[in-house]
Amino acid sequence: MAETSHWTGSEKYLCDPALAQAFHMARTLGMPLLIEGEPGTGKTELPIHYANDRGLDLEVYPVGSKSNVEQFVARFDHVKYLRDSQIEILNAQREEKGLDSKLTTGDRNPESLNDYVVKGPAAVAYSKPNSVLLIDEIDKAPREFPNDLLYALSHRKFIMPESGEVIEVSEEDMPAIVITSNREQELPTAFKGRCIYHYIDFPDQDTMNKIIDKHHPNMDEKVVRVALDVFYHLRRLGLERAPTTREILNWLKYMGEIAPNEAVKKIAGLEGIGALIKTQADMERVSRMIGADESFGANLN
């Protein structure tokens, strides 16, 4: 039976109670957990840290604009099958001529179609009940991709191409499936209906402080405080792309290599701001703000 204990996070991952409850419910009911929220809020990190913390196998499918169910579930290797079939014919001809040496097919048998089925992350995860499957950024996929998953999610089974092999799993043994979305496009209602849904709100300053402590437990408190003040000040500016959790963690990782007093000065002066600001328009806006507010850095020290 799949692992369904109430997981509340790990040494490196802070899982808020509402998210932990949704994740537990999804695993208990044998349903996928669909997590939405802005980029950098830890959606992708949840299944990765959960699998690592519990010692479970993790299968990852990063979704793109050309994603399809064949890539996700399984495909039949027609090229390899045709080549091996030709090798079998050649070996038969060589045998007729009395030649002992044979060409190899790598232990594959053209009469066994299963030998030519290349399983994708979904088929592999369904074959291992106590595993974790991450479908990352499903909102990037073509519209038909989530619709094509409805049957598999509803019936908990896949049919392998050509061979007809059925990979089926019970509700109790469903792998832990986490699906993430940045809401670049709305997902089909029927698809959402097959999932437990959770929206991750962006962490407030106290929660972010705890997240930073998980990743940088030895960071100087004043460095963290000043960095957080800058970070949330930037997020309140209404930038084209507000800085995310991942980015402040990277910024602080860099500043952690510098003496605390010097790091505070650099943060207050917005040095290394390219770790947080990702567009030219936002960079220009922040530069104008610094020029107009000479007390900005002083207020943070």
Side-chain angles (χ1 to χ4, degrees), residues 15-23 32-37 43 46 179-181 183 195-201:
C15 188
D16 73 76
L19 177 57
Q21 180 64 48
F23 188 38
L33 173 64
L34 172 60
I35 309 176
E36 291 191 333
K43 301 184 296 297
L46 181 141
I179 306 170
T180 71
S181 169
R183 304 188 74 179
C195 306
I196 299 299
Y197 178 83
H198 183 79
Y199 185 88
I200 295 185
D201 291 316

Side-chain angles (χ1 to χ4, degrees), residues 10 25-26 60 66-67 82 93 167:
S10 66
M25 184 184 300
V60 179
K66 297 182 179 180
S67 291
L82 178 60
Q93 292 173 344
I167 296 180

Side-chain angles (χ1 to χ4, degrees), residues 194-262:
R194 301 300 194 278
C195 306
I196 299 299
Y197 178 83
H198 183 79
Y199 185 88
I200 295 185
D201 291 316
F202 197 84
D204 60 24
Q205 195 154 334
D206 288 339
T207 303
M208 186 65 76
N209 202 357
K210 294 176 183 176
I211 293 172
I212 291 170
D213 187 57
K214 287 270 187 182
H215 290 265
H216 305 304
N218 300 317
M219 185 70 65
D220 182 85
E221 290 183 7
K222 186 173 183 181
V223 171
V224 173
R225 176 177 59 77
V226 173
L228 282 173
D229 286 344
V230 171
F231 178 76
Y232 280 96
H233 187 78
L234 293 174
R235 282 189 59 85
R236 288 191 293 268
L237 291 179
L239 301 173
E240 285 184 359
R241 186 188 181 281
T244 68
T245 303
R246 182 186 306 112
E247 287 153 2
I248 189 174
L249 291 175
N250 287 337
W251 199 32
L252 283 171
K253 182 178 181 180
Y254 172 74
M255 292 299 174
E257 301 297 320
I258 303 169
N261 288 339
E262 185 65 22

Side-chain angles (χ1 to χ4, degrees), residues 84-95:
D84 287 354
S85 298
Q86 292 171 336
I87 287 175
E88 289 290 301
I89 295 172
L90 290 172
N91 282 336
Q93 292 173 344
R94 292 167 72 88
E95 187 175 349

